Amino acid sequence: MSLKAAVIPVTPLQQNCSLVWCEETKKGAFVDPGGEKDRLLDVAGKAGVILEKLLVTHGHLDHAGAVADLAEDLGLPVEGPHPEDRFWIDQIAEQGLKYGMAGLRPFTPDRWLHQGDACTVGNQTFDVLHCPGHTPGHVVFFHAGQRVAFVGDVLFQGSIGRSDFPRGDFDTLIRSIRENLWPLGDDVTFVPGHGPLSTFGHERATNPYVADRLFEPVG
Ligand SMILES: [Zn+2]
Ligand SMILES: [Zn+2]
């Protein structure tokens, strides 16, 4: 019996919220419920998932915009991100207005996460990796058995997260990817915060920002 997952793009920013659940217990969690609460609950209901908690990679509004409402309405505990992202969560209402999303509310996670922590969903376990650079408190959730990682805005197919936000840092982001994600294995599939899924091996071979071999200029 293993981990199941469904990716549900939410908000005008098309953020990949994931519903993850344990096949055995039917207990599940949303990873990065950024918005569209009713639609998310509909997907969970149709899959017969009993929601157990909310997991958050980082404090940006498109990833955490519906956390306060879901936590309150359903009494769900919130795990993540790392405490360095508190300043992003605290300004989530103002950030939401910038992107045309009114009524977003800050929250305090029941559990802040750190490198080496583990989060459970039913009988499934996710390893927590602290991957700063896009935001200082960004975390990644890795399921070793299923070889899948939920990486938020750290890494995308063919690209990496922005590092020009307050307290973002390009070199730190590259180091997070190379030193924290690559050791998990080339065969790992990742669900990025935006866009299509890929594998670490594919990005190590082709991603212009983090490939092992630097691309030679053409011509
Ligand atoms: Zn972000
Ligand atoms: Zn995002």
Side-chain angles (χ1 to χ4, degrees):
M1 295 298 240
S2 59
L3 177 83
K4 294 285 211 180
V7 179
I8 313 146
V10 294
T11 82
L13 296 163
Q14 289 292 289
Q15 193 275 122
N16 288 330
C17 173
S18 294
L19 174 65
V20 297
W21 71 95
C22 167
E23 216 179 353
E24 204 170 15
T25 61
K26 282 282 181 183
K27 287 182 179 169
F30 288 120
V31 181
D32 285 356
E36 303 184 48
K37 181 187 81 175
D38 294 340
R39 194 169 138 241
L40 293 180
L41 291 177
D42 193 50
V43 173
K46 283 188 175 135
V49 171
I50 306 147
L51 289 167
E52 186 181 35
K53 61 180 67 172
L54 305 172
L55 301 174
V56 185
T57 63
H58 66 297
H60 279 163
L61 75 150
D62 51 327
H63 297 256
V67 169
D69 282 352
L70 280 168
E72 209 170 277
D73 292 0
L74 303 174
L76 299 174
V78 180
E79 301 188 8
H82 181 284
E84 289 292 326
D85 259 25
R86 186 194 286 271
F87 78 105
W88 276 119
I89 297 172
D90 287 346
Q91 56 175 304
I92 202 164
E94 295 83 345
Q95 290 293 326
L97 292 176
K98 281 191 193 171
Y99 291 90
M101 282 171 265
L104 304 192
R105 290 183 298 127
F107 56 91
T108 301
D110 298 271
R111 183 183 173 208
W112 294 103
L113 296 175
H114 299 84
Q115 175 81 17
D117 282 348
C119 294
T120 59
V121 176
N123 297 335
Q124 307 299 317
T125 302
F126 294 88
D127 299 324
V128 174
L129 299 120
H130 181 209
C131 294
H134 173 68
T135 66
H138 201 302
V139 295
V140 163
F141 300 100
F142 173 57
H143 190 282
Q146 211 77 7
R147 314 302 294 153
V148 63
F150 299 84
V151 306
D153 289 348
V154 171
L155 178 68
F156 302 113
Q157 184 198 79
S159 189
I160 58 171
R162 284 175 59 177
S163 53
D164 59 331
F165 291 118
R167 300 192 53 205
D169 184 73
F170 181 83
D171 292 338
T172 304
L173 180 59
I174 299 290
R175 207 177 315 125
S176 288
I177 295 166
R178 289 210 165 117
E179 294 177 9
N180 230 350
L181 297 188
W182 287 176
L184 301 177
D186 284 358
D187 63 322
V188 172
T189 296
F190 66 95
V191 180
H194 307 265
L197 278 56
S198 181
T199 65
F200 290 160
H202 181 76
E203 300 312 305
R204 288 184 76 157
T206 63
N207 189 311
Y209 296 94
V210 285
D212 293 344
R213 187 177 59 85
L214 287 176
F215 286 85
E216 304 292 338
V218 179

